[in-house]
Amino acid sequence: MLGFLSIFAASVAGFANVGIWAIAACAIALASTSYAEHHALYRRGQELGLTDTLRAVVLRSFGNGLITSGAAYFCGWFLRLI
């Protein structure tokens, strides 16, 4: 639910013509939500010595959040034009 709220916040920010920084803020919120949901797996991976893989997973999660937030922001911005 918190992830959907972050995506909705990005679309509202685009509709309200808030600055581009809102995309990064929502992406950080999405990546943090993902980390909070799967913290046990991250801890287990660190115990097994998979730190490089975990860093890649966290960066990819942030990248996915950035793409999702950017798309939601653009959709909100586009609805404002209509």
Side-chain angles (χ1 to χ4, degrees):
M1 182 71 177
L2 198 56
F4 291 118
L5 187 62
S6 299
I7 294 169
F8 180 70
S11 64
V12 169
F15 186 78
N17 204 16
V18 176
I20 299 294
W21 58 267
I23 295 172
C26 291
I28 291 170
L30 285 171
S32 298
T33 303
S34 173
Y35 183 81
E37 288 178 3
H38 304 293
H39 72 280
L41 293 174
Y42 286 111
R43 188 173 12 138
R44 187 172 174 195
Q46 286 177 350
E47 291 172 357
L48 294 174
L50 301 171
T51 56
D52 293 334
T53 305
L54 292 174
R55 285 183 190 148
V57 168
V58 169
L59 287 176
R60 287 181 183 170
S61 177
F62 179 70
N64 288 337
L66 198 61
I67 291 169
T68 304
S69 298
Y73 184 90
F74 176 73
C75 288
W77 175 80
F78 185 70
L79 283 175
R80 183 172 190 235
L81 293 178
I82 295 177

